Amino acid sequence: PSSVPPVFTFALRGYMRTFYHLGRLTLNSFKSYTPVLSPQVSRSVPKVLVRGVTSSLVCQKGGSPAWGSKKHTAKRKIRLKQLALEMMEPEVEAQLAPLRAKVKEQGDKIRQLKADGAPDVDVKVEVQLLKARKKDLEDMTLKLMPADTFDRAKMSDLIKRRFFYDQSFAIYGGITGQYDYGPMGCDLVDNMLSEWHKHFIIQERMLKVNCSILTPEPVLKASGHVDKFADYMVKDVKTGECFRLDHLIKQHFEKKMSEKKTTQEEKDIMTRKTTLLDGMTMAEMDAILKEYGMKSPLTGNDLTDAMEFNLMFPISIGPSGALKGFLRPETAQGIFVNFKRLLEYNQGKLPFACAQVGNAYRNEISPRSGLLRVREFTMAEIEHFCDPDDKSFPKFASVAHVEMNLYSACAQMDGESAKKMTIGEAVRGSGLSSLGLLQTTSEMETLDSYLCDRSYIIGNEPTQADTTVFQALAPHLPLASHLPHACRWHRHLSSFTDKQQKSFPGEVNTVDELTGGRKKGLVANETLGYYMARIQLFLHKIGIVPRKLRFRQHMNNEMAHYACDCWDAECLTSYGWIECVGCADRSAFDLSQHTKAASVKLCVERPLKEPRMEETVTAVTDKGLVGKAFKKEAKAVTDALANLSISETEELDKTLTAKGEAEVAGYKLTRTMVPSVKREQKKVHVEEIIPSVIEPSFGVGRVFYSLLEHSFRVREDDDKKTYFALPATVCPIKVSVLPLSNKPEFAPFTNQLADSLTEKNITVRVDDSTGSIGRRYARTDEIAVPFGVTVDFDTINNTPHTVTLRERDSTEQVRMPIEEIPETVKRLADGKLLWSEVAAKWPKFTQQETGVTK
């Protein structure tokens, strides 16, 4: 700031160099080192600028307080940290305050109910009220935000005119919830997925599969989709028209509440019932349907009783129809059932990730909101398999600094807004809590970062906290050279004898007590946090506006029972905040379910630190009798017996002894087939674990639509000129070639440019129509072409031959030699060159000749 004396700014330049020197000195050297500071510098420089491991430095002489003490913390209110908080205007906050208070009141009520052990039904009722209050707060927040000039009607017109996408089978009237992508839409999706492939599969070295869409029923039975993947609906008794029950009730209540004859008491009752709909059973919704005598909104006909409707498309596989199946509702199950083969391909090692891109199908009862809710859609899913006891991520330090807009479950319950913080703070916490137990590579890198701006200055000595950290690092020494700050700190601590270290001031603590251990942060673990940060970086790269992106944490009532944590990347559109990417820690649920259903172990062998003795009980089979009785299925029988647990094997033995026969995995076995069981002690060097799964799941259509909204623009000088300001990396067509005239003299130059650009794999559009150049620019802008090359009369008449290169968003043009165009456009399209650099290098285009020189 301008108020800081110049000498302070000057002094800062030498601090790190000086600290590095001082950090190498012994304690005695420190005591004998007495520099002289001018009075001006003494007044300007804070007494403690840089702190040690725990908080700030200790000075024994003079009785300065210890590191981390409350007194010292109170003194050092000089942290040079800029707060990037988005504050609402006071008038807006005044309007939101009552709504925030209502949300917090409801959130506190739910917390109290859970603490008191209230019945789940009561908690669910209050949770639905909390959701309603949250929605009121969010709606009001969006309403009070600065007005957005976005015009959805104009964008929809442009999308349809230029055929980015349109309703399927439109000439037959179209089908709701199904869309066809046109040339521009196909290329844009392909380019998005190409960037996704580079960003995740290549850069993270993932495996990739392409699994069948036709899925047998047992697979989806095991995953829970057959039993739980359903909505409630009713039908028009005469026409058979279907209606989703909760939507029908909401629409009926909205209509009734808009009528003048409806009393306030009736409105309040309907409002409460609307709020509770999400948690109601089918019978409760059906009772409301009958209580209000609801009819078909289209025909006024009676409606059937409520029924459950599974959202999957059923199919019959094969001509007999005996094998039932479904079109897959997600791509993930194909990865899970292939886990064993993938693990073998990865040489039996964890962690590893596998990705799949493909179509999924959900038979929505009443699709709406365009591409946001459809029956057929593309998913890009990643399944990252990791050790359930170690979810650290070796590359987490590379993204720890990424700032994200996080809307935690607590913030939602307290009526607060989303908060900006780094993903490092969200996972590890800040300060000492971020150091964990100092056992993993990531935690040591955090220590090095923590020490980056902390060191020893004249007269200061370490405390017991340093000793604690020093001892915690001992098993991991020597420290790697890529941790320079930790190495310097370690060298300084090593200069003290054991006796001197024991005499350090401060309280003696374990590393767990000092740092809080590995407490769960806002985000459950490093692997989940790493993928959240990578998702954000990818979305920003393809053109999602940063201020219109947030990560919302699932509340307990939303999260699947098996999930540890789940965050949705939500984009703000004209439809409100919509979920585009889910990122969840699914624990070991999926592999466990398929292990039970298929009787195939989907697990990993993990080496034990020390071997242990274990008792084993295995069934002894008469292979001849088993083979004779079951023939081709004999192997399945022996595998099923081998997979039995100790208790299951002992129970089988008792049943066979008592009854003479028993059933295992659907096969009837006799005592003669399994004459005995074998008990023995054996030394075990490995243990079997079922990996946890971190799953980033992209709804490609939703990201595609959000990208179009975020990039839609209208020219300031002409509101009829609309275009998409897409980043060049994802644009369907990278460059247009526009000859100013269709005279024969222009053809060689046009063809030369088009061919040279195509050779570099740059998509080109040649527009040699007779329209004005301004109109042709507008046409290419509409389909998001970022660059335009114009062949004009100067190109024809002068040598060396030059052309103009135009940038879409700024409409600026520069003139350059025709030979420079292909490489320049290539680098611009790949994101390796900025337009500002091109504009600085080449002269701006001003005017041209108007005819061909003879």
Side-chain angles (χ1 to χ4, degrees):
S2 58
S3 58
V4 176
V7 67
F8 179 63
T9 319
F10 174 78
L12 280 175
R13 284 201 282 266
Y15 274 156
M16 290 313 296
R17 184 171 62 252
T18 306
F19 289 158
Y20 181 79
H21 167 68
L22 295 178
R24 299 172 65 92
L25 299 177
T26 62
L27 178 62
N28 291 329
S29 300
F30 267 107
K31 290 178 179 177
S32 63
Y33 194 68
T34 53
V36 178
L37 296 178
S38 69
Q40 186 181 13
V41 174
S42 298
R43 287 193 302 271
S44 304
V45 181
K47 292 181 181 178
V48 181
L49 271 178
V50 190
R51 296 169 294 283
V53 173
T54 57
S55 137
S56 59
L57 296 169
V58 176
C59 178
Q60 284 182 329
K61 292 183 179 181
S64 295
W67 297 1
S69 69
K70 291 183 179 178
K71 288 183 180 179
H72 200 295
T73 304
K75 281 186 175 183
R76 56 177 175 79
K77 297 294 184 182
I78 58 167
R79 283 181 79 187
L80 304 177
K81 182 178 180 182
Q82 184 178 358
L83 299 178
L85 299 176
E86 291 186 353
M87 299 298 293
M88 291 280 188
E89 293 293 331
E91 299 81 7
V92 174
E93 277 298 327
Q95 294 182 62
L96 293 177
L99 295 175
R100 293 192 192 282
K102 284 185 177 181
V103 172
K104 188 177 188 310
E105 178 188 13
Q106 190 64 22
D108 291 341
K109 185 177 181 180
I110 292 169
R111 291 188 182 104
Q112 190 59 49
L113 284 172
K114 289 182 176 179
D116 296 341
D120 288 345
V121 175
D122 294 345
V123 175
K124 284 182 179 179
V125 169
E126 299 304 329
V127 166
Q128 298 309 318
L129 288 173
L130 173 65
K131 282 185 175 181
R133 293 187 180 186
K134 267 179 55 190
K135 188 174 186 309
D136 290 342
L137 173 60
E138 192 159 275
D139 289 346
M140 181 58 73
T141 304
L142 292 174
K143 184 178 178 182
L144 296 175
M145 284 175 68
D148 195 337
T149 57
F150 174 75
D151 188 330
R152 193 198 296 168
K154 282 187 176 181
M155 189 189 81
S156 298
D157 174 66
L158 176 56
I159 286 172
K160 194 167 185 177
R161 238 179 342 99
R162 306 301 286 184
F163 195 14
F164 278 81
Y165 65 88
D166 199 4
Q167 199 169 30
S168 298
F169 315 108
I171 64 172
Y172 287 93
I175 296 180
T176 306
Q178 291 178 228
Y179 290 88
D180 295 335
Y181 288 83
M184 293 299 101
C186 285
D187 285 348
L188 178 53
V189 169
D190 287 348
N191 290 346
M192 282 170 48
L193 291 175
S194 176
E195 287 300 315
W196 185 87
H197 188 275
K198 295 174 191 173
H199 190 83
F200 289 103
I201 295 176
I202 293 177
Q203 294 181 17
E204 303 301 333
R205 300 175 188 175
M206 295 178 179
L207 309 181
K208 192 176 180 182
V209 294
N210 185 2
C211 301
S212 174
I213 290 171
L214 309 182
T215 309
E217 184 180 40
V219 175
L220 296 170
K221 183 78 174 174
S223 66
H225 285 89
V226 171
D227 297 327
K228 299 178 181 178
F229 202 61
D231 279 334
Y232 306 132
M233 74 169 190
V234 290
K235 287 184 178 181
D236 185 313
V237 294
K238 292 184 179 178
T239 66
E241 185 76 25
C242 297
F243 304 95
R244 184 165 151 174
L245 188 50
D246 56 342
H247 292 172
L248 181 71
I249 293 172
K250 286 178 184 177
Q251 291 168 6
H252 182 82
F253 282 167
E254 287 171 3
K255 183 179 179 182
K256 291 286 288 182
M257 285 190 286
S258 66
E259 296 174 359
K260 292 182 179 180
K261 63 181 181 181
T262 307
T263 64
Q264 187 58 46
E265 183 181 357
E266 290 173 329
K267 288 181 181 179
D268 291 341
I269 292 171
M270 285 187 276
T271 300
R272 179 176 174 78
K273 288 182 176 179
T274 302
T275 302
L276 300 177
L277 275 176
D278 287 347
M280 284 186 181
T281 63
M282 183 172 70
E284 289 170 335
M285 287 192 195
D286 198 37
I288 293 176
L289 187 78
K290 290 179 170 56
E291 179 186 351
Y292 287 86
M294 297 182 192
K295 306 288 184 181
S296 167
L298 301 179
T299 62
N301 295 330
D302 290 337
L303 299 167
T304 64
D305 291 338
M307 64 187 78
E308 198 170 63
F309 177 74
N310 194 292
L311 296 177
M312 293 188 294
F313 285 96
I315 55 170
S316 296
I317 302 175
S320 67
L323 181 56
K324 293 182 179 179
F326 299 91
L327 298 181
R328 65 184 180 194
E330 63 180 23
T331 61
Q333 299 307 318
I335 299 176
F336 296 138
V337 298
N338 281 296
F339 171 75
K340 197 171 182 180
R341 299 296 305 276
L342 292 167
L343 181 65
E344 289 172 1
Y345 184 87
N346 203 52
Q347 300 177 336
K349 296 177 182 177
L350 286 180
F352 72 91
C354 183
Q356 180 173 196
V357 178
N359 280 11
Y361 303 84
R362 297 181 184 179
N363 198 8
E364 297 284 352
I365 296 169
S366 52
R368 61 193 188 280
S369 305
L371 291 179
L372 304 185
R373 190 172 291 278
V374 292
R375 293 189 171 109
E376 179 182 1
F377 51 94
T378 303
M379 299 186 76
E381 291 192 297
I382 297 166
E383 308 301 332
H384 178 99
F385 300 98
C386 60
D387 189 324
D389 300 324
D390 182 11
K391 295 180 182 177
S392 61
F393 200 89
K395 291 169 64 179
F396 183 77
S398 66
V399 300
H401 65 282
V402 175
E403 191 175 63
M404 306 182 71
N405 199 24
L406 301 178
Y407 195 23
S408 68
C410 284
Q412 294 171 63
M413 292 185 73
D414 291 340
E416 297 176 357
S417 303
K419 294 180 180 177
K420 284 190 175 180
M421 64 178 72
T422 66
I423 193 64
E425 292 171 335
V427 173
R428 300 166 173 164
S430 57
L432 284 175
S433 63
S434 65
L435 302 181
L437 296 176
L438 285 168
Q439 292 179 355
T440 67
T441 302
S442 179
E443 287 168 348
M444 286 190 282
E445 287 174 346
T446 306
L447 172 65
D448 191 69
S449 176
Y450 192 84
L451 289 167
C452 179
D453 61 350
R454 295 164 175 84
S455 184
Y456 296 90
I457 58 174
I458 304 155
N460 289 325
E461 297 175 8
T463 67
Q464 288 299 331
D466 284 282
T467 305
T468 300
V469 175
F470 184 76
Q471 292 169 351
L473 284 175
H476 307 284
L477 298 177
L479 291 170
S481 59
H482 71 285
L483 305 175
H485 308 291
C487 287
R488 182 200 61 206
W489 173 84
H490 176 260
R491 283 196 301 270
H492 180 62
L493 265 290
S494 299
S495 67
F496 296 93
T497 65
D498 290 343
K499 185 176 181 181
Q500 287 175 319
Q501 289 185 10
K502 288 178 182 177
S503 66
F504 287 166
E507 187 178 350
V508 177
N509 289 312
T510 65
V511 69
D512 199 335
E513 293 169 335
L514 184 68
T515 66
R518 293 202 179 106
K519 291 182 179 177
K520 182 180 178 182
L522 195 61
V523 175
N525 53 70
E526 285 187 4
T527 302
L528 182 64
Y530 179 80
Y531 277 108
M532 287 170 61
R534 292 289 289 167
I535 288 167
Q536 174 169 295
L537 293 172
F538 167 73
L539 293 176
H540 287 177
K541 183 192 294 184
I542 66 170
I544 294 297
V545 176
R547 65 182 175 83
K548 293 185 177 182
L549 174 66
R550 74 179 184 189
F551 283 78
R552 187 185 70 82
Q553 187 178 32
H554 282 205
M555 295 196 297
N556 287 339
N557 64 293
E558 297 176 274
M559 207 178 303
H561 64 89
Y562 52 80
C564 299
D565 197 7
C566 184
W567 293 77
D568 288 340
E570 297 182 331
C571 294
L572 182 59
T573 70
S574 58
Y575 292 101
W577 288 100
I578 61 167
E579 173 198 348
C580 290
V581 188
C583 194
D585 183 337
R586 294 172 65 99
S587 188
F589 173 79
D590 299 283
L591 294 180
S592 300
Q593 290 296 102
H594 289 300
T595 294
K596 292 175 186 175
S599 298
V600 176
K601 288 184 178 180
L602 301 177
C603 58
V604 178
E605 290 187 346
R606 179 173 62 185
L608 293 169
K609 291 182 179 178
E610 293 182 3
R612 63 169 181 249
M613 298 301 295
E614 281 189 1
E615 182 183 7
T616 62
V617 180
T618 55
V620 178
T621 59
D622 186 324
K623 293 183 179 179
L625 287 175
V626 172
K628 187 176 180 180
F630 297 103
K631 296 180 181 178
K632 291 182 179 180
E633 295 181 325
K635 187 179 184 304
V637 174
T638 54
D639 287 346
L641 288 169
N643 288 330
L644 293 176
S645 64
I646 293 176
S647 59
E648 289 170 338
T649 305
E650 289 178 338
E651 185 63 30
L652 171 67
D653 187 43
K654 289 178 183 177
T655 305
L656 288 172
T657 302
K659 298 180 179 179
E661 63 178 23
E663 188 175 300
V664 175
Y667 301 103
K668 285 188 178 180
L669 302 172
T670 63
R671 177 87 270 183
T672 54
M673 293 177 187
V674 187
S676 63
V677 295
K678 184 180 179 182
R679 292 178 173 84
E680 61 180 351
Q681 293 277 337
K682 67 177 182 179
K683 185 178 285 188
V684 178
H685 296 269
V686 296
E687 62 178 342
E688 291 181 343
I689 60 166
I690 298 180
S692 285
V693 176
I694 310 296
E695 180 191 70
S697 177
F698 291 74
V700 175
R702 291 187 170 195
V703 175
F704 170 85
Y705 178 79
S706 301
L707 179 57
L708 289 180
E709 271 211 16
H710 288 194
S711 62
F712 180 70
R713 304 284 188 274
V714 180
R715 293 286 182 202
E716 292 182 3
D717 58 342
D718 187 348
D719 62 1
K720 291 182 181 179
K721 289 183 178 179
T722 55
Y723 67 102
F724 290 110
L726 294 168
T729 51
V730 295
C731 284
I733 298 172
K734 308 299 184 188
V735 62
S736 58
V737 177
L738 310 166
L740 203 60
S741 169
N742 57 7
K743 291 182 178 181
E745 293 89 338
F746 285 80
F749 298 98
T750 302
N751 295 334
Q752 176 190 343
L753 278 166
D755 292 343
S756 59
L757 288 162
T758 304
E759 283 176 6
K760 288 186 173 291
N761 295 317
I762 300 170
T763 47
V764 182
R765 182 185 180 91
V766 177
D767 187 351
D768 56 0
S769 60
T770 56
S772 69
I773 191 66
R775 185 171 296 177
R776 284 188 279 165
Y777 282 150
R779 280 203 297 262
T780 58
D781 289 350
E782 285 185 336
I783 54 175
V785 180
F787 307 107
V789 180
T790 306
V791 180
D792 56 22
F793 291 100
D794 286 351
T795 310
I796 309 298
N797 296 333
N798 302 326
T799 54
H801 300 293
T802 60
V803 291
T804 66
L805 179 65
R806 174 184 180 269
E807 197 265 340
R808 175 197 60 214
D809 297 345
S810 64
T811 69
E812 288 181 350
Q813 295 186 66
V814 296
R815 191 154 204 102
M816 65 171 63
I818 196 170
E819 295 80 11
E820 295 281 347
I821 289 292
E823 184 60 28
T824 301
V825 172
K826 175 67 174 173
R827 295 184 64 207
L828 284 168
D830 291 342
K832 296 178 180 177
L833 182 67
L834 299 176
W835 175 255
S836 57
E837 296 175 76
V838 176
K841 181 178 180 180
W842 302 104
K844 284 190 177 181
F845 171 70
T846 53
Q847 62 181 358
Q848 61 171 324
E849 296 182 21
T850 58
V852 178
T853 304
K854 299 293 184 182

